[in-house]
Amino acid sequence: MKYESQRVAMPYFIFALILFAGQIVFGLILGLQYVVGDFLFPEIPFNVARMVHTNLLIVWLLFGFMGATYYLVPEEAQTELHSPLLAWILFWVFAAAGTLTILGYLFVDYSTLADITMNKLLPTMGREFLEQPTITKIGIAVVVVAFLYNIAMTALKGRKTVVNIVLITGLVGLAVLWLFSFYNPGNLATDKYFWWFVVHLWVEGVWELIMGAILAYVLIKLTGVDREVIEKWLYVIIAMALITGIIGTGHHFFWIGPPEYWLWLGSVFSALEPLPFFMMVVFAFTMINRRRRNHPNKAATLWAMGTTVMAFLGAGVWGFLHTLAPVNYYTHGSQITAAHGHMAFYGAYVMIVLTIISYAVPIMRGRPYGNSNTAQIVEMWGFWLMTISMVFITLFLTGAGVLQVWLQRIPESGEALSFMAGQDQIALFYWMRFVAGAFFMAGLVVYFGSFFIKGAASPAEEVRGPATADA
Amino acid sequence: MAERFTKSMARNIYLGGSAFFVLLFLALTFDTQLRAMPERDNREELTEQVVRGKHLWEKNNCVGCHSIMGEGAYFAPELANVFDRRGAGDTEVFKSYMKAWMNAMPTNIPGRRQMPNFGLTDAEIEDLAAFLEWTSKIDDNNWPPNIEG
């Protein structure tokens, strides 16, 4: 750690991981409700648990992105953060608002929550992933704008690197697109169209810039490869992401009202969306092969490689599986969608946050070359347990989805099974998914455990090869 | 990557490519929203009652279990075509079906998925029914493939 103010990333990472644990607990509740329908009913109905599960994910990833930004922007800019105090204030504001919102979901009836937060004045609640009370949405907007001010002031007074520029572009995009969450017309078809401006253009647009920038930064540090090379890759990757992903939004417009030309546009461009993810795999592995130093933080290297592979599989391959309109006609809104969503979010965004945590947290804890060997081994056990569990969750949900499509979607009306009759038929897959989820939880516990393992940090002399000025 | 391909070329592809596709996306959005959608989304029947129904749909987080036009959660049946499936395409039949259904919840059958009772008045249930009926008439390229959704 070269600048003292980078340390403000620490509370962001810690809080992100706490929320991650909450997300997984609620994931298990949901998984069980799929097969034991009345589990925790009426205390925690499915819709409440799902809202908690997805909103915790979004909020903890935002905490992770913010922590990553506070950590890497000062170092890239070669200057202290503009205002560590502001970063701390925003941390507490965001943490309090996030916690209150989740507690509101759990302990207040949703329609009552809408009433007491005066949703009537500017109704934005009750849409998937955007369930937050309007006041929380405003709070998120304010926190993000103040955060961007702090980051922009830092970046502007220092060295302007491509990593910083790309990261900040992604964050500005995130903030601007969030404004569409406030637009909720009475026309459902219009509502849905612009809802995707937040959801798709985040995860298949500007978030890829954030992911690419964090990955590039970590690879510069771990491999010691010349920054010029890494920056060139980064530009090509984000170019591909936006060239395919923006019109690729069309794969969501097939069946919600927009005209038929989106069937073509959405199919063609989203079929190309795996490209940037494939390039990330090649990027990470090539840089690591061409490394000019052997960084002793092996765990961070594993996360960096893993995030690209899993993002390619989850977002790329599993996305492609059902993105062509003639296929999507049958798979839209089935368990295939759920399978893709789980692996894509884990591979691309969960793992990139865990990558930067794996690299930065040991440094902030006074272990500049990584944790002790034992701690790294335990962390890598956590990596494999969580990652393999996620592969199985995805496979089981895919199995459930294929059967669901076969039973409920493909036969003619009159012969097709009803939704609930179909669900009964595929219960075995839901049980197996639940077991895989329990293994994921075990992996998370192991991963958390790695933070508490003492022992000598990796010694500096293990760093071999000529270090570049940057590394 | 070969040295001939420089960083500034990569940057120009990024800037030029994304600017072009942002503009194309905006143009397509104007075409979709201003020209195409009025023909497709059944907006002439978008009454105040339908809008009230949409707010009830949102206020009770229906999308937390159900999907509507395939979007939402996959825990409970698709509802964009429930007007056709349960109401046989008839407004009055659908209203009475909705009232009976909403008031019968939860079933409390052990082990089965449960839908809460949202305590809606008859008028509110009619608003919700109007919203679902209106939604069923959006031109969505003939999705879903069959009546089961």
Side-chain angles (χ1 to χ4, degrees):
Chain A
M1 200 175 61
K2 293 174 179 152
Y3 299 90
E4 190 53 33
S5 52
Q6 289 177 273
R7 204 178 288 282
V8 76
M10 196 69 158
Y12 283 84
F13 288 147
I14 294 172
F15 197 68
L17 291 178
I18 294 170
L19 298 185
F20 181 26
Q23 188 212 344
I24 303 311
V25 169
F26 279 87
L28 287 173
I29 292 173
L30 293 163
L32 200 52
Q33 286 178 333
Y34 256 94
V35 274
V36 184
D38 56 352
F39 179 65
L40 289 182
F41 187 86
E43 288 75 23
I44 308 180
F46 182 88
N47 70 309
V48 173
R50 184 178 195 267
M51 196 158 58
V52 174
H53 179 66
T54 56
N55 284 221
L56 279 175
L57 169 68
I58 297 164
V59 173
W60 89 254
L61 291 178
L62 291 179
F63 268 98
F65 291 164
M66 287 181 179
T69 307
Y70 283 128
Y71 186 84
L72 73 82
V73 166
E75 190 165 314
E76 286 286 295
Q78 297 182 329
T79 174
E80 293 286 352
L81 184 66
H82 174 65
S83 169
L85 176 67
L86 178 59
W88 270 102
I89 293 171
L90 293 176
F91 169 77
W92 285 111
V93 170
F94 196 22
T99 308
L100 277 174
T101 302
I102 299 295
L103 292 178
Y105 291 161
L106 282 170
F107 296 107
V108 184
D109 179 61
Y110 191 72
S111 64
T112 313
L113 188 64
D115 285 334
I116 59 183
T117 57
M118 293 181 283
N119 188 53
K120 248 190 152 54
L121 296 179
L122 176 60
T124 67
M125 291 173 74
R127 295 172 302 152
E128 192 186 8
F129 310 132
L130 302 184
E131 295 92 347
Q132 312 82 28
T134 303
I135 183 86
T136 304
K137 289 196 180 81
I138 295 171
I140 292 174
V142 170
V143 166
V144 171
V145 167
F147 159 76
L148 278 173
Y149 162 79
N150 205 0
I151 292 303
M153 294 302 282
T154 310
L156 286 174
K157 73 178 174 186
R159 184 175 65 149
K160 280 125 194 114
T161 69
V162 176
V163 168
N164 268 0
I165 292 168
V166 171
L167 178 64
I168 292 167
T169 309
L171 292 166
V172 170
L174 181 155
V176 169
L177 292 166
W178 178 246
L179 297 178
F180 285 97
S181 76
F182 294 96
Y183 179 57
N184 182 19
N187 182 330
L188 180 71
T190 320
D191 170 12
K192 281 174 173 291
Y193 188 91
F194 289 102
W195 179 86
W196 284 113
F197 278 44
V198 187
V199 177
H200 174 93
L201 292 177
W202 266 20
V203 300
E204 289 166 69
V206 292
W207 283 27
E208 287 184 49
L209 269 58
I210 297 170
M211 179 190 176
I214 297 174
L215 182 68
Y217 169 82
V218 172
L219 288 174
I220 289 173
K221 298 294 160 183
L222 291 176
T223 66
V225 170
D226 186 21
R227 173 183 289 276
E228 285 293 307
V229 177
I230 286 185
E231 289 174 341
K232 187 160 64 178
W233 274 93
L234 178 59
Y235 270 134
V236 175
I237 288 168
I238 59 173
M240 285 299 124
L242 295 184
I243 287 170
T244 62
I246 293 173
I247 305 296
T249 315
H251 66 171
H252 300 292
F253 296 158
F254 295 164
W255 326 115
I256 60 171
E260 283 163 22
Y261 58 71
W262 284 111
L263 297 175
W264 284 99
L265 287 171
S267 296
V268 170
F269 280 86
S270 67
L272 299 173
E273 279 188 53
L275 271 179
F277 289 107
F278 182 71
M279 292 190 68
M280 280 198 224
V281 179
V282 179
F283 173 45
F285 282 74
T286 310
M287 293 308 106
I288 286 165
N289 272 335
R290 287 208 229 147
R291 67 188 178 277
R292 298 163 56 126
R293 61 193 311 219
N294 281 320
H295 199 286
N297 192 340
K298 298 278 187 293
T301 313
L302 180 64
W303 282 112
M305 289 189 285
T307 188
T308 64
V309 173
M310 294 301 290
F312 171 64
L313 286 177
V317 177
W318 254 261
F320 178 76
L321 276 183
H322 61 142
T323 202
L324 299 176
V327 176
N328 193 257
Y329 185 62
Y330 292 100
T331 60
H332 177 54
S334 71
Q335 293 298 324
I336 305 271
T337 318
H340 159 62
H342 279 79
M343 198 193 256
F345 261 100
Y346 175 73
Y349 300 121
V350 170
M351 288 178 84
I352 193 65
V353 171
L354 299 188
T355 302
I356 184 77
I357 287 177
S358 182
Y359 172 75
V361 167
I363 299 175
M364 289 190 279
R365 295 174 82 192
R367 304 160 182 177
Y369 302 102
N371 290 324
S372 71
N373 238 348
T374 327
Q376 285 196 40
I377 289 169
V378 175
E379 184 181 343
M380 290 193 254
W381 270 93
F383 168 95
W384 287 110
L385 268 169
M386 286 193 283
T387 302
I388 292 172
S389 302
M390 185 50 79
V391 169
F392 278 99
I393 289 173
T394 306
L395 289 173
F396 293 143
L397 285 176
T398 306
V402 169
L403 262 176
Q404 181 186 16
V405 167
W406 181 257
L407 297 169
Q408 178 199 323
R409 289 273 171 81
I410 290 182
E412 299 286 318
S413 297
E415 288 168 17
L417 284 194
S418 73
F419 177 87
M420 279 312 300
Q423 294 295 298
D424 288 340
Q425 296 294 313
I426 59 186
L428 179 64
F429 283 93
Y430 291 141
W431 275 114
M432 294 193 288
R433 182 268 300 265
F434 177 73
V435 173
F439 274 97
F440 189 99
M441 183 85 216
L444 184 67
V445 170
V446 171
Y447 170 72
F448 280 1
S450 75
F451 286 90
F452 298 96
I453 290 172
K454 302 247 179 334
S458 284
E461 55 266 33
E462 280 187 30
V463 184
R464 285 186 291 270
T468 57
D470 267 326
Chain B
M1 271 177 265
E3 285 307 313
R4 290 190 303 278
F5 184 67
T6 62
K7 189 171 95 181
S8 69
M9 290 161 81
R11 188 189 57 217
N12 291 341
I13 294 173
Y14 159 63
L15 292 175
S18 41
F20 176 78
F21 282 102
V22 166
L23 290 175
L24 178 62
F25 186 63
L26 287 177
L28 289 166
T29 292
F30 279 110
D31 180 70
T32 298
Q33 290 303 326
L34 301 180
R35 186 192 58 82
M37 293 297 277
E39 307 286 307
R40 298 171 61 91
D41 65 11
N42 182 32
R43 66 183 58 183
E44 59 286 351
E45 289 176 45
L46 184 65
T47 61
E48 278 179 29
Q49 187 183 30
V50 171
V51 174
R52 282 200 306 274
K54 180 171 186 277
H55 288 314
L56 282 166
W57 166 269
E58 291 164 356
K59 198 179 167 194
N60 292 287
N61 194 27
C62 306
V63 84
C65 291
H66 293 277
S67 58
I68 186 158
M69 304 175 100
E71 295 171 358
Y74 321 123
F75 189 68
E78 164 66 35
L79 294 184
N81 67 343
V82 70
F83 173 70
D84 301 308
R85 185 167 62 243
R86 300 296 187 211
D90 182 283
T91 306
E92 291 310 313
V93 174
F94 186 55
K95 274 189 206 162
S96 35
Y97 172 81
M98 281 286 286
K99 284 176 196 164
W101 179 270
M102 299 296 286
N103 291 324
M105 295 296 113
T107 62
N108 287 320
I109 301 169
R112 298 296 293 176
R113 296 181 192 175
Q114 297 296 316
M115 173 165 160
N117 190 308
F118 294 98
L120 302 185
T121 63
D122 276 5
E124 287 175 324
I125 294 174
E126 290 193 11
D127 293 347
L128 200 51
F131 166 66
L132 291 172
E133 178 179 343
W134 177 81
T135 301
S136 77
K137 292 173 181 164
I138 297 172
D139 180 352
D140 57 2
N141 294 328
N142 284 322
W143 194 88
N146 65 39
I147 195 76
E148 299 301 343

